[in-house]
């Protein structure tokens, strides 16, 4: 082998160099350096943090849903000037992205740069950022601009208009709930009628700062199988146009009625070019929509300002507002809405300290029929200190004709996953509720909705699914067998694709699981060969038709992509859901 070039050849240090090194590291010189060691370590740590921040920026840029969340977190951590510089660079590459200019205004506000921030806000508005965004918040950061021409004008325009909503939720044969947000504290009402009767049904309430200016209006005295059209009223004025209108049809009473059609999914991080998914779902004209977790992607359980900002982005989209004012929406959460990726936080209500506050923010932004042991709004205030025996969460049940739905909370009381018999995902209170509700159900179909898959093979060796709670899953399945409960269908989310699975049960009928969780996400998970089918080419959702009519009850599961094209279909005759 030839010799290396002299410029890189290893050389023995000269005698003078060796003497210098011995002198530098002598005990006396080390002692003289000690006062400077903390400063040296501090600089090294600062450089490491900058490297990590830079890598975080690069990672965030690959996932649009993270870019501005990450920027907001850094702003409230005191890095507004650096964020403004980084976002200016991002805006140079994406000049037509209004969200970047909006976040630049937040950074400028934190840095006390009102003139620049006002220009950023106006730029975001000119690029089409929905007007309600400027009023929803982050309110503390945007307060600097309250006396600007743009914000004063928007406050005037939205004095009697909703900032977000209306969203229809918790529809039953006798009642429904309507959610909305206003620009300030307002007296609000929902008024609805039917085509057959002009006699109005009215629900009243008030939005408050404590609840992030939201309210849920409870319409009572409804009739089954009836279509209601309604409008919002804000401080005595009826809201005109689409933004004040809502519409829903109540389910039929228990019995063998017409098929029920539902859309379901999860994995809905905010990606502007994929928000058209909500229009695709609306075009399906479903009876109801089930969102089974990772509905908005927060991942900041200690930062309510980031949580609310993430909700505001989705709630401002016109596609979302058009969908949810026309189709009843029922939700549960998963790790990215509740805590962080694959999180478990244990069975205690007060540990970690952010658990109840995160629950309160969740409850402020939906209109579900129940929240574990806590009644739906209106009810206990959000600033509450919950009684020690109370177990809040996002689990509940509801009926739609001959179908019962059992919505599970897989995060609030989840213990550390393993294969030991004592490990629980649900917690004792929720599990007792589930068993009692299943035993009492007389529905033709019982749909159990989980934020994570029941099938072990969906996520390899990960313990984040029911794979980490095998004994408890066995307990649930054994309960179905012991009580001879038939007609069970499993729905789940979490995996960024759409699958169909069959779970064999010796001595009983196999359970079929429909899994879908890539509504709007950019990120995708690989398909699984062991599934009946597995799809990930585009964003997609699950469409399920449950036909309970006697003689030939059936379940049909379709995978529909973001363009409205059916990619897969599975037809299950009712005979396959019996012992």
């Amino acid at each position: 082998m030839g010799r290396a070039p002299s410029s890189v050849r290893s050389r023995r240090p000269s005698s003078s160099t060796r003497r210098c090194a011995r002198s530098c590291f002598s005990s006396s010189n080390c002692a003289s350096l000690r006062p400077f060691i903390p400063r040296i370590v501090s600089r090294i740590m600062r450089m490491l943090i900058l490297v990590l921040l830079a890598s975080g920026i690069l990672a965030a840029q690959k996932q649009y849903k993270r870019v501005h969340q990450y920027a907001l977190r850094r702003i409230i951590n005191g890095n507004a000037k650096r964020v403004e510089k980084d976002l200016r660079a991002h805006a140079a590459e994406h000049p037509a992205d209004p969200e970047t200019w909006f976040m630049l205004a937040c950074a400028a506000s934190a840095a006390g740069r009102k003139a620049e921030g006002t220009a950023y806000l106006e730029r975001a508005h000119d690029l089409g950022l929905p007007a309600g965004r400027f009023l929803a918040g982050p309110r503390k950061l945007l307060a600097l601009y309250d006396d600007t021409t743009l914000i004063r004008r928007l406050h005037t325009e939205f004095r009697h208009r909703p900032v977000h909503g209306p969203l229809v939720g918790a529809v039953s044969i006798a009642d429904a709930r309507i959610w909305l947000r206003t620009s300030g504290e307002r007296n609000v009402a929902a008024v609805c009628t039917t085509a057959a009767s002009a006699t109005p049904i009215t629900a009243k309430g008030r939005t408050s700062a404590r609840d992030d200016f939201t309210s849920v209006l409870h319409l009572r005295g409804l009739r089954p199988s009836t279509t209601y059209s309604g409008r919002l009223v804000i401080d005595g004025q009826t809201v005109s146009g689409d933004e004040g209108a809502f519409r829903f049809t109540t389910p039929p009473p228990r019995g063998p009625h017409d098929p029920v059609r539902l859309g379901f999914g999860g994995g809905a991080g905010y990606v502007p070019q994929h928000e058209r998914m909500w229009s695709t779902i609306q075009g399906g004209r479903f009876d109801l929509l089930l969102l089974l977790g990772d509905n908005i992607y927060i991942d900041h359980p200690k930062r309510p300002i980031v949580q609310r900002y993430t909700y505001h982005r989705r709630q401002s989209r016109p596609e979302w507002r058009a969908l949810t004012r026309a189709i009843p929406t029922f939700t549960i959460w998963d790790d990215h809405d509740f805590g962080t990726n694959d999180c478990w936080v244990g069975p205690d209500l007060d540990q970690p300290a952010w658990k109840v506050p995160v629950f309160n923010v969740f409850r402020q932004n939906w209109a579900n029929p129940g929240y574990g042991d806590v009644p739906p709004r209106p009810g206990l205030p959000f600033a509450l200190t919950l009684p020690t025996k109370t177990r809040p969460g996002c689990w509940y049940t509801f009926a739609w004709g001959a179908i019962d739905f059992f919505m599970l909370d897989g995060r609030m009381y989840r213990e550390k996953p393993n294969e030991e018999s004592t490990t629980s995902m649900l917690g004792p209170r929720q599990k007792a509720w589930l068993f009692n509700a299943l035993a009492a159900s007389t529905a033709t179909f019982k749909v159990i909705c989980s934020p994570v898959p029941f099938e072990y093979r969906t996520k390899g060796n990960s313990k984040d699914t029911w794979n980490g709670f095998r004994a408890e899953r066995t307990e649930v399945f054994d309960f179905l067998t012991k009580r001879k409960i038939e007609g069970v269908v499993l729905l789940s989310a979490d995996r960024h694709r759409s699958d169909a699975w069959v779970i064999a049960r010796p001595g009983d009928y196999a359970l079929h699981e429909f899994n879908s969780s890539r509504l709007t996400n950019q990120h995708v998970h690989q398909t699984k060969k062991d599934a009946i089918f597995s799809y990930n080419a585009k964003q997609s959702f699950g469409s399920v038709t449950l036909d309970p009519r006697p003689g030939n009850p059936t379940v049909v599961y379709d995978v529909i992509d973001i363009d409205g094209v059916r990619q897969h279909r599975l037809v299950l005759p009712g005979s396959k859901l019996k012992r």
Side-chain angles (χ1 to χ4, degrees):
M1 181 180 292
R3 298 185 64 184
S6 59
S7 59
V8 296
R9 195 181 305 150
S10 174
R11 294 181 178 179
R12 176 180 172 83
S14 66
S15 58
S16 60
T17 301
R18 294 196 299 273
R19 285 194 301 271
C20 181
R22 285 196 297 269
S23 174
C24 288
F25 289 97
S26 66
S27 59
S28 60
N29 282 320
C30 282
S32 66
L33 288 172
R34 284 189 189 118
F36 301 98
I37 289 176
R39 188 181 304 172
I40 294 170
V41 172
S42 177
R43 288 188 176 184
I44 292 172
M45 292 300 295
R46 197 176 305 160
M47 291 176 65
L48 287 172
I49 290 171
L50 289 174
V51 170
L52 290 172
L53 287 174
S55 63
I57 293 169
L58 292 174
Q61 288 175 346
K62 295 179 181 179
Q63 294 283 321
Y64 182 92
K65 65 191 178 190
R66 299 298 190 198
V67 174
H68 306 99
Q69 281 182 326
Y70 185 81
L72 179 57
R73 186 185 71 185
R74 292 169 63 204
I75 290 169
I76 60 182
N77 284 343
N79 297 307
K81 290 184 179 180
R82 178 66 184 179
V83 170
E84 188 173 358
K85 180 180 178 180
D86 291 343
L87 287 178
R88 288 288 303 185
H90 187 77
E93 295 183 16
H94 308 279
D97 179 24
E99 195 69 36
T100 298
W101 296 101
F102 178 81
M103 193 53 63
L104 274 165
C106 293
S109 172
R113 296 158 55 85
K114 184 175 181 179
E116 293 88 342
T118 300
Y120 294 148
L121 273 188
E122 291 174 350
R123 177 67 170 159
H125 184 264
D126 292 343
L127 287 171
L129 193 71
R133 287 293 305 283
F134 302 92
L135 304 177
R139 292 185 183 244
K140 288 185 178 180
L141 285 175
L142 297 181
L144 181 67
Y145 310 114
D146 281 350
D147 62 349
T148 62
T149 300
L150 173 62
I151 300 303
R152 287 203 314 268
R153 176 170 61 81
L154 291 177
H155 271 294
T156 300
E157 291 179 2
F158 279 81
R159 183 67 181 80
H160 298 97
R161 295 167 61 187
V163 169
H164 296 140
L167 176 146
V168 178
V171 174
S172 76
I173 61 173
D175 63 348
R177 290 180 170 86
I178 309 297
W179 174 95
L180 76 156
R181 175 179 283 111
T182 54
S183 61
E185 294 190 334
R186 304 281 189 269
N187 293 317
V188 293
V191 182
C192 66
T193 58
T194 70
S197 173
T199 303
I201 297 174
T202 302
K204 297 181 179 180
R206 182 171 176 81
T207 60
S208 68
R210 181 196 65 192
D211 299 338
D212 196 25
F213 302 92
T214 66
S215 183
V216 175
L217 306 172
H218 191 182
L219 293 162
R220 297 177 173 88
L222 308 181
R223 298 195 302 270
S225 303
T226 303
T227 298
Y228 290 86
S229 298
R231 287 207 167 271
L232 297 177
V233 179
I234 299 178
D235 272 354
Q237 290 192 20
T238 300
V239 182
S240 61
D242 288 343
E243 67 180 0
F246 59 88
R247 181 183 176 88
F248 61 88
T249 300
T250 53
R254 181 73 86 210
H257 297 281
D258 290 340
V260 174
R261 297 184 64 250
L262 66 91
F264 84 95
Y270 180 73
V271 184
Q273 64 267 32
H274 298 160
E275 293 296 300
R276 63 190 179 93
M277 171 60 87
W278 310 118
S279 299
T280 300
I281 294 174
Q282 185 179 11
R285 304 179 68 85
F286 294 104
D287 296 305
L288 62 156
L289 173 65
L290 307 180
L291 297 179
L292 303 186
D294 297 343
N295 303 321
I296 57 170
Y297 277 82
I298 302 171
D299 291 284
H300 288 82
K302 298 179 182 179
R303 299 290 190 181
I305 187 173
V306 179
Q307 296 162 32
R308 293 190 173 105
Y309 163 78
T310 309
Y311 277 107
H312 296 166
R313 291 193 303 188
R314 172 59 45 69
Q315 292 160 346
S316 297
R317 293 295 304 197
E319 307 94 335
W320 170 259
R321 296 181 73 178
L323 169 68
T324 54
R325 66 170 168 253
I327 297 179
T329 301
F330 299 80
T331 65
I332 55 177
W333 60 18
D334 198 17
D335 48 350
H336 296 288
D337 307 319
F338 170 69
T340 56
N341 186 50
D342 290 0
C343 65
W344 57 270
V345 295
D348 296 329
L349 179 60
D350 58 351
Q351 294 295 328
W354 51 259
K355 184 183 281 191
V356 170
V358 164
F359 163 74
N360 286 337
V361 172
F362 178 84
R363 198 165 68 129
Q364 285 173 353
N365 286 282
W366 300 108
N368 289 330
Y371 295 91
D373 287 350
V374 176
R377 296 174 63 192
L380 298 176
F382 288 103
L384 55 80
T385 300
L386 289 168
T388 55
K389 293 184 179 180
T390 301
R391 285 296 178 267
C394 62
W395 78 81
Y396 56 93
T397 186
F398 70 96
W400 204 278
I403 297 96
D404 282 345
F405 293 87
F406 306 85
M407 310 290 280
L408 303 184
D409 184 336
R411 295 293 168 182
M412 191 77 166
Y413 304 103
R414 174 186 286 235
E415 298 171 354
K416 183 177 181 179
N418 56 52
E419 297 179 7
E420 297 177 5
S421 60
T422 57
T423 299
S424 176
M425 180 190 296
L426 304 177
R429 190 77 64 89
Q430 181 179 187
K431 187 158 52 180
W433 158 84
L434 176 63
F435 288 169
N436 289 335
L438 284 168
S441 176
T442 60
T444 303
F445 297 117
K446 295 95 174 165
V447 182
I448 302 177
C449 300
S450 169
V452 294
F454 286 94
E455 170 55 57
Y456 299 148
R457 295 168 290 176
T458 56
K459 198 176 179 180
N461 293 322
S462 172
K463 298 298 186 288
D464 185 59
T465 68
W466 283 91
N467 189 39
F469 305 87
R470 291 193 173 208
E472 188 167 59
R473 193 194 83 154
T474 298
E475 185 181 359
V476 173
F477 288 179
D478 285 351
F479 181 84
L480 300 177
T481 299
K482 180 180 178 181
R483 293 300 185 97
K484 301 179 180 180
I485 297 174
E486 299 180 334
V488 172
V489 177
L490 307 177
L491 302 187
S492 61
D494 184 70
R495 300 290 78 205
H496 301 172
R497 58 178 188 265
S498 292
D499 301 342
W501 296 87
V502 59
I503 303 174
R505 292 190 300 157
D508 209 339
Y509 67 95
L511 292 173
H512 285 78
E513 179 173 13
F514 310 150
N515 176 264
S516 184
S517 193
R518 197 192 175 201
L519 283 165
T520 58
N521 274 1
Q522 291 169 293
H523 183 264
V524 63
H525 289 132
Q526 291 183 348
T527 56
K528 292 293 184 179
K529 295 180 180 179
D530 291 338
I532 299 172
F533 55 71
S534 186
Y535 174 79
N536 71 356
K538 292 183 179 181
Q539 289 73 23
S540 62
F541 67 96
S543 167
V544 180
T545 301
L546 299 143
D547 187 346
R549 289 175 293 188
N552 188 30
T554 57
V555 178
V556 179
Y557 170 42
D558 293 321
V559 173
I560 311 296
D561 71 22
I562 192 171
D563 296 316
V565 177
R566 187 177 75 197
Q567 296 293 338
H568 290 282
R569 165 166 282 192
L570 175 65
V571 179
L572 283 177
S575 58
K576 286 195 173 184
L577 302 179
K578 292 184 177 181
R579 298 169 62 84

